[in-house]
């Protein structure tokens, strides 16, 4: 589960660096898994919640920014 910066342990804070080079952390395999789940999630949003417009954003929208910290839905 995701944490806010205030919930990080001291060790996690030492690793946290928002200005880091993400190229070493990219996770294209998890991105592909997340992308494969999208059609089902879109169907649920349309069928159960009558969503008319759905927008994918953040790291899920761009393989070049999806890291091992990104949500895999």
């Amino acid at each position: 589960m995701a944490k806010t910066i205030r919930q990080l342990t001291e060790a996690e804070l030492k690793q946290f660096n928002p200005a880091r080079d993400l190229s070493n952390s990219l996770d294209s395999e998890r991105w592909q898994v997340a992308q494969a789940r999208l059609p089902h999630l879109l169907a649920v949003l349309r069928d159960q919640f009558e969503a008319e417009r759905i927008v994918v954003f953040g790291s899920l929208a761009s393989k070049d920014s999806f890291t091992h910290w990104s949500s895999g839905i």
Side-chain angles (χ1 to χ4, degrees):
M1 184 169 168
K3 296 180 181 182
T4 67
I5 195 163
R6 292 181 183 199
Q7 295 169 318
L8 296 177
T9 65
E10 190 172 328
E12 290 169 327
L13 276 172
K14 288 180 182 178
Q15 292 180 347
F16 178 73
N17 178 0
R20 70 193 174 279
D21 176 14
L22 294 179
S23 63
N24 294 331
S25 304
L26 296 178
D27 195 338
S28 68
E29 186 176 315
R30 282 186 67 238
W31 184 82
Q32 291 172 349
V33 170
Q35 290 291 311
R37 292 178 180 168
L38 277 178
H40 173 73
L41 294 174
L42 296 175
V44 168
L45 291 171
R46 287 187 183 113
D47 298 344
Q48 293 183 17
F49 299 98
E50 300 178 6
E52 295 178 6
R53 182 170 184 240
I54 302 166
V55 178
V56 176
F57 62 93
S59 59
L60 188 57
S62 172
K63 186 177 182 179
D64 294 336
S65 61
F66 196 91
T67 69
H68 60 268
W69 293 291
S70 299
S71 172
I73 33 180

